[in-house]
Amino acid sequence: MTPDVRPFVAGNWKMNGLSASLVELEAMRRAVDAGEAGPAELAVCPPATLLAQAAWKLKGGKLALGAQDCHTEASGAFTGDISAPMLKDAGASYVIVGHSERRTLHHETDALVRAKAEAALKAGLTAIVCVGETRDEREAGDAIVVVTRQLLGSMPPGGAPETVVVAYEPVWAIGTGLTPTPADVAEMHKAIRGLLGEIYAASGTKIRILYGGSVKPANARELLGLDNVDGALVGGASLKAVDFLAIAAAYA
Ligand code: PEP
C-alpha cells in the first residue's frame, strides 16, 4: 500500500463471458454499491462485446468499467479494431494496454503500448499499463532490467495518478497458480515506484501500482498488503463475483 492512495482492484475477463455472465457483474455492483466491498475502487474489464450492456447495468453505480485493449487511432480503416473514443462512448473509464498476452501473441512493442496509452488519455480513459518479465528473464536475474525497459518505453507522457495505473504482472505467474515471493514483489514494486518518480516527478509517487498474476482470495491479503502494492489486476478469479469480492476484501 502507498499512503494516501486509494487501492484499486481490476478484473480482466480476457476472452471470456457472454451476456449470461453479466449476472456476476450485477452481483459485484450490488456489493460495491451497498458498501460491502471494502475501501478499494473496483473495476471490471469484460470483452468488448459486453461493454455496452455492462455499462447499462452499471449505470449510476460505483463499480467502474474497463476495456482490454484499444487502437492508437481514433477512427479509420482498421478492420476489427476498436478505438479509445469508442470505448469511452460505450461506457468504459479504464483500458488495459500492453497486457503480456497482447505483447506476446500480437507482437506489441513498448512503443505501440505507449501510443495506445496516449490514445487512451486523449480519449479521457485511464490507461492500465502492464509490464512484467518472463520466467527466463527472472531466472537470468534480469527481471528489474526488463521491467525498467518496458516502463520507460511504455508509459505515456503527461501521465498522472488519475490517468495512468501500472500493473506489474510477471508473465510466468499469469494463469499458472504461481506467484513471486512477497519479497520479490516488494522489490519490483519499489523499483517501479522509483522509476515513476523519475518519469513523472512528484505525481509518480501517487500513481497506483497493481500486482497481477494468480491473485486469489487465499493470497490476496499477503500480496496486497506489501509496500507500494496499491491493488491487483485479477484474471481468472475476477470471473466470479464471490472470488473477486473476496480479493477486494483484503482491504476491508
Ligand atoms: C491477467 O491476465 O491479467 C491475470 C493476472 O491473470 P490471472 O489472475 O488469471 O493470473
Side-chain angles (χ1 to χ4, degrees):
M1 294 166 82
T2 303
D4 302 325
V5 169
R6 187 181 180 198
F8 179 46
V9 179
N12 172 15
W13 281 13
K14 312 193 188 198
M15 198 174 73
N16 296 294
L18 301 172
S19 305
S21 319
L22 294 173
V23 293
E24 298 295 332
L25 204 72
E26 290 176 299
M28 293 173 196
R29 179 200 161 135
R30 277 197 300 277
V32 172
D33 288 351
E36 293 163 5
E41 180 185 359
L42 267 59
V44 176
C45 306
T49 47
L50 292 180
L51 277 178
Q53 282 186 79
W56 181 251
K57 293 202 183 285
L58 300 184
K59 201 172 164 67
K62 293 189 185 132
L63 176 61
L65 188 61
Q68 300 174 14
D69 181 43
C70 67
H71 198 273
T72 56
E73 299 297 323
S75 62
F78 302 103
T79 302
D81 282 314
I82 302 177
S83 75
M86 289 171 177
L87 299 174
K88 178 84 177 169
D89 184 55
S93 48
Y94 288 92
V95 61
I96 299 169
V97 293
H99 190 280
S100 68
E101 285 150 18
R102 298 218 49 101
R103 288 179 184 265
T104 305
L105 302 172
H106 296 266
H107 312 292
E108 294 196 0
T109 61
D110 291 333
L112 180 64
V113 173
R114 190 209 303 259
K116 290 184 174 200
E118 285 188 69
L121 268 55
K122 201 168 166 199
L125 297 169
T126 296
I128 303 173
V129 183
C130 301
V131 293
E133 82 287 354
T134 63
R135 161 72 82 191
D136 285 354
E137 288 163 343
R138 175 153 290 273
E139 283 175 356
D142 291 338
I144 291 186
V145 173
V146 168
V147 168
T148 298
R149 190 183 62 230
Q150 290 177 336
L151 211 63
L152 293 175
S154 307
M155 296 306 285
E162 309 75 42
T163 58
V164 289
V165 174
V166 174
Y168 166 57
E169 300 205 299
V171 178
W172 53 273
I174 295 177
T176 59
L178 303 171
T179 54
T181 64
D184 285 343
V185 173
E187 182 189 36
M188 182 62 81
H189 279 239
K190 188 175 175 197
I192 294 172
R193 176 66 66 214
L195 284 162
L196 290 173
E198 283 175 29
I199 301 170
Y200 297 119
S203 67
T205 61
K206 302 284 181 213
I207 288 175
R208 292 175 291 187
I209 310 172
L210 313 183
Y211 168 76
S214 297
V215 177
K216 309 273 179 245
N219 61 19
R221 204 170 284 276
E222 181 177 41
L223 291 165
L224 303 193
L226 297 168
D227 279 356
N228 293 306
V229 176
D230 307 312
L233 182 55
V234 184
S238 71
L239 293 169
K240 293 278 171 225
V242 65
D243 293 332
F244 190 56
L245 293 168
I247 290 170
Y251 289 109

